[in-house]
Amino acid sequence: MRSRVTMVLAVVAVVLGGVLLVPTAYARLSAGGDAESSGGGGGSVAAPAPTPPPPPTLAAGPVSVNFNGEFFSWALLDRKTGAISGAKNMASTSSTESMIKAWIVSDYLRQLRDREPPAEMLKLASKAIRDSNDDAANAVNTAAGGSYKIYPNGQPSPVIKRAITICGLTDTKRGNVPKYEGFWSFTRMSPRDAVRLGDCIADGKAAGPKWTKWVLDEMSKVRGSVKDQHDTYGGGKWGIVDGLPASIKAQGPVSIKNGWTPLAYDGNWHVNCLAVTGKWSLAVMMRYPVKNGLSYGAKVCASVATQLVTPQPGAALKVPQQPVGKL
């Protein structure tokens, strides 16, 4: 009897064990099958996730502007490769106006090396950039060794001459307006040289290791709108920065310095926009009838920047193509 009972219990145990093992084994086989399918050995392959586009930036591309004026040009410098792209006439020049103030301040501070400037002079340097204050820029220019003297043989002032040498400018020249040749605002510069100047400020050659961050920070804090204009200073936060999407501005500070003056001698607004980041330097320069107003030039600068945004906002995500595995 005991042997029969023992045999019956053994049979029951084997049967129950088989019942319990079969689902476990099936689960293992199923798991193994799924892993094999995902590895491409068998079964269908899940669709790959879309690849998000790279962070937006400014890159070489076509620019179309319905411009009404005497001169229009632009240039873009890729700060990683050093490549410059732009309009066909990007080597042609126009007066810098207040755009050159960023260099004047940088040139003064670089000469100090590790010394601190007088508190009042540093305050003037800030006003020259943030508020585009002419009186402040004149004081800093004098302190840097500049003057309104007309140098022989067409030579620019020492301050501008150093910009040409230090930043590798190829098109920049002294002003050519009679009686005003020595004025910093009449310095002739091309968009190609302007982006080189922006890069020169950003990479530290212009202001030196101690003062570069300070200059770029001041340029990122330029203030005031197109409507906020006065005789010797005015609002300069407009132009390229208005054409950039929030996704580019969020990547880091955008340092800017614009230049603008309505000049009686030719009846034109002379408007320039310069902006620089860790990735690129962009300049837009133009001359157009005074009647069009400053806002016209500001919108042209913004338009150029917007057209160079890459990828353009709303660009579709790229889905990698991959063959479907065998069933």
Side-chain angles (χ1 to χ4, degrees):
M1 184 69 180
R2 289 181 62 183
S3 60
R4 288 183 180 179
V5 170
T6 301
M7 184 178 294
V8 169
L9 290 174
V11 170
V12 170
V14 169
V15 171
L16 288 174
V19 170
L20 292 172
L21 286 171
V22 168
T24 303
Y26 179 76
R28 288 177 179 172
L29 287 171
S30 298
D34 287 346
E36 186 178 3
S37 295
S38 64
S44 60
V45 177
T51 302
T57 186
L58 297 192
V63 168
S64 177
V65 175
N66 184 18
F67 183 71
N68 176 25
E70 179 181 289
F71 173 78
F72 164 75
S73 187
W74 64 274
L76 174 70
L77 184 147
D78 183 322
R79 296 199 57 228
K80 182 178 181 180
T81 66
I84 299 177
S85 57
K88 292 181 179 179
N89 63 342
M90 65 178 176
S92 299
T93 64
S94 191
S95 62
T96 61
E97 306 309 324
S98 293
M99 182 175 69
I100 198 68
K101 289 173 181 174
W103 165 259
I104 293 172
V105 169
S106 297
D107 186 53
Y108 167 69
L109 293 172
R110 186 194 66 261
Q111 294 179 67
L112 295 176
R113 298 182 183 275
D114 293 330
R115 291 180 290 119
E116 293 289 330
E120 182 60 27
M121 187 59 69
L122 193 61
K123 187 181 297 184
L124 290 172
S126 176
K127 290 173 67 176
I129 293 177
R130 292 196 192 192
D131 301 320
S132 203
N133 188 292
D134 291 340
D135 295 334
N138 287 335
V140 177
N141 183 62
T142 299
S147 72
Y148 297 117
K149 175 183 175 181
I150 300 176
Y151 292 86
N153 303 319
Q155 291 295 311
S157 77
V159 171
I160 302 304
K161 196 170 184 178
R162 285 192 291 270
I164 294 171
T165 302
I166 294 173
C167 300
L169 309 184
T170 58
D171 312 315
T172 300
K173 301 176 180 66
R174 187 180 75 182
N176 59 356
V177 179
K179 298 181 181 181
Y180 297 99
E181 294 98 323
F183 281 62
W184 46 260
S185 60
F186 286 95
T187 301
R188 290 175 289 159
M189 184 177 289
S190 66
R192 179 171 71 174
D193 272 359
V195 295
R196 289 168 175 156
L197 185 72
D199 181 57
C200 185
I201 293 171
D203 72 9
K205 289 197 294 287
K210 181 176 175 63
W211 294 103
T212 294
K213 186 178 183 299
W214 186 91
V215 172
L216 290 173
D217 186 58
E218 290 298 310
M219 292 172 69
S220 73
K221 294 176 179 176
V222 167
R223 54 199 173 197
S225 69
V226 167
K227 296 181 180 179
D228 182 23
Q229 302 301 315
H230 308 271
D231 289 342
T232 58
Y233 67 97
K237 191 176 181 181
W238 42 263
I240 291 171
V241 69
D242 292 335
L244 300 176
S247 53
I248 286 184
K249 295 176 185 178
Q251 295 175 31
V254 180
S255 300
I256 67 172
K257 187 65 197 85
N258 298 329
W260 63 101
T261 308
L263 294 174
Y265 78 87
D266 67 355
N268 285 321
W269 270 103
H270 290 222
V271 175
N272 311 303
C273 300
L274 174 64
V276 62
T277 70
K279 295 181 178 179
W280 48 262
S281 177
L282 174 64
V284 185
M285 303 180 71
M286 70 198 89
R287 298 189 299 270
Y288 58 86
V290 169
K291 66 180 181 180
N292 289 358
L294 178 57
S295 61
Y296 177 81
K299 291 175 182 176
V300 170
C301 289
S303 176
V304 172
T306 298
Q307 293 179 62
L308 293 173
V309 173
T310 304
Q312 283 289 309
L317 297 180
K318 293 184 178 179
V319 180
Q321 297 300 312
Q322 183 171 330
V324 177
K326 295 180 181 179
L327 294 175

